[in-house]
Amino acid sequence: MDVGVIGVGVMGKNHARLYSELKQVDSLWVTDLNTKAAIEVAQSNGGEACSTVEKLLDRVDAVSICVPTQYHHDVAKAVFAASVHALIEKPICSSAAMAKKLLPLIPKGLTVGVGHIERFNPIVDEIRRMVKKPLYIETNRHNPASARIFGTSVVEDLMIHDIDVVFNLFNNGNYRLQSSGTVDACGALCKMNGTTVYMSASRKASKKIRSIYIEEEDCTIEGDYMSQEIAVYRKPGQYNIDNNRYMQENIIEKVLVTKQEPLRRELSTFLSCAAAKKPFLVTPEQALLDLQVAEKISLNLTG
């Protein structure tokens, strides 16, 4: 397929790099308001730069939309009008209201997905397979401060990844939600299907954390998104008593996970879906739900 990248910031550069390495891609085209940056990215990845979005859309079958979030709606609208398959970086739009206006504009038969990248982390597939009846779920996503993030809260910036995983793996549509914190560090407590869920996110941390913790009746599951490792802790068959104290030795299992670069997997899946004109794993409707939940959490934040 002939593929394009609109916007060559940090994520756009990564999209262009990986597209240039995928066998599904015939030619690569990039565009950005910063013409010099577009030319540099194109040259370093064996692609061609286009001076405008319109010229790029005349040359491609599918695109990644990697412009700043506030421009997602307008750029996606132009892509849909050109009947080009689209992968929109997360979040789908700057607000749920804008996303609701965008969804009806998607032409029938066009593959449109949203880049919630953690859904393509291999530990998510394993967790989906393993978890049966979760009693408690906790997610932690903490980052040092980043100069390139502005104009949005930590919920839309970071926590939305965990919202997407939790709400699409464990929720059937009914939930209750409470939240507290600031625009830079917050927590959200949620009740869904009898499961208690706590999600925390911060961009003031000194340690980078990407984790998920799940308790079930007979085991506890810990997953690390960065190392792509999963540990399962199981209760022993019996307890020992030593000096009138209970002694417990948990059985720890390491789950074999085939490590993969999530973004590479995401882009390859997108192109396969576009070629077959099938829905992408993360649909615009799911991305809208993620944004609606994020906005409810952000309502109670200060600063």
Side-chain angles (χ1 to χ4, degrees):
M1 300 182 74
D2 299 314
V3 178
V5 177
I6 303 174
V8 292
V10 174
M11 285 306 298
K13 288 177 182 176
N14 287 328
H15 281 238
R17 170 180 61 85
L18 290 170
Y19 277 139
S20 73
E21 297 172 2
L22 292 177
K23 293 180 180 179
Q24 296 147 289
V25 175
D26 186 23
S27 65
L28 174 66
W29 303 83
V30 301
T31 189
D32 194 283
L33 290 177
N34 184 335
T35 304
K36 182 181 177 183
I39 292 171
E40 289 176 354
V41 170
Q43 289 178 343
S44 63
N45 292 287
E48 295 284 342
C50 290
S51 57
T52 66
V53 171
E54 291 73 22
K55 289 181 179 179
L56 180 141
L57 293 175
D58 284 340
R59 293 165 169 80
V60 300
D61 306 302
V63 297
S64 284
I65 299 175
C66 302
V67 298
T69 305
Q70 62 264 37
Y71 305 116
H72 282 189
H73 178 277
D74 291 346
V75 173
K77 185 177 177 181
V79 173
F80 299 163
S83 296
V84 172
H85 303 289
L87 177 65
I88 307 168
E89 261 302 331
K90 69 84 187 167
I92 184 171
C93 283
S94 56
S95 69
M98 293 296 287
K100 286 181 179 178
K101 292 179 180 179
L102 183 64
L103 264 60
L105 303 178
I106 301 174
K108 189 176 181 180
L110 204 68
T111 297
V112 177
V114 182
H116 285 280
I117 193 171
E118 291 293 31
R119 200 87 76 84
F120 296 87
N121 192 307
I123 74 166
V124 172
D125 292 337
E126 292 296 333
I127 288 171
R128 187 198 303 269
R129 180 182 61 80
M130 294 164 60
V131 175
K132 301 296 188 293
K133 267 185 98 173
L135 304 174
Y136 174 76
I137 299 171
E138 181 175 329
T139 68
N140 296 284
R141 189 168 294 266
H142 296 194
N143 243 21
S146 173
R148 73 181 183 88
I149 302 298
F150 60 92
T152 185
S153 81
V154 71
V155 181
E156 290 82 10
D157 177 22
L158 294 177
M159 187 184 286
I160 197 166
H161 287 293
D162 298 306
I163 292 170
D164 180 69
V165 170
V166 168
F167 274 74
N168 285 287
L169 260 64
F170 305 111
N171 185 44
N172 65 3
N174 300 311
Y175 65 92
R176 299 197 310 274
L177 190 63
Q178 293 176 295
S179 62
S180 181
T182 70
V183 294
D184 290 317
C186 76
L189 185 64
C190 184
K191 189 79 170 181
M192 55 172 68
N193 314 331
T195 303
T196 299
V197 179
Y198 178 71
M199 297 180 286
S200 76
S202 170
R203 52 190 180 196
K204 293 290 188 180
S206 298
K207 180 183 178 182
K208 190 173 182 179
I209 303 172
R210 302 278 191 278
S211 66
I212 184 168
Y213 172 96
I214 303 168
E215 290 181 358
E216 292 199 316
E217 193 65 46
D218 60 348
C219 71
T220 295
I221 300 167
E222 286 185 340
D224 187 313
Y225 287 102
M226 292 187 295
S227 65
Q228 297 185 4
E229 294 177 347
I230 298 174
V232 181
Y233 299 81
R234 300 190 186 277
K235 299 172 184 176
Q238 62 183 24
Y239 293 87
N240 298 319
I241 299 178
D242 184 16
N243 295 328
N244 295 320
R245 293 183 178 182
Y246 288 100
M247 306 293 292
Q248 176 184 350
E249 293 184 4
N250 285 338
I251 300 168
I252 305 174
E253 302 171 359
K254 294 288 186 179
V255 179
L256 181 63
V257 177
T258 303
K259 297 184 180 183
Q260 302 174 61
E261 186 175 359
L263 184 57
R264 180 186 298 274
R265 190 179 178 202
E266 177 184 271
L267 298 184
S268 179
T269 301
F270 166 60
L271 294 182
S272 295
C273 291
K277 296 186 178 180
K278 291 182 177 179
F280 185 64
L281 180 63
V282 186
T283 66
E285 291 78 14
Q286 291 173 349
L288 170 59
L289 171 63
D290 296 337
L291 196 50
Q292 288 171 326
V293 173
E295 288 183 351
K296 287 181 182 178
I297 294 172
S298 295
L299 282 175
N300 296 319
L301 305 186
T302 61

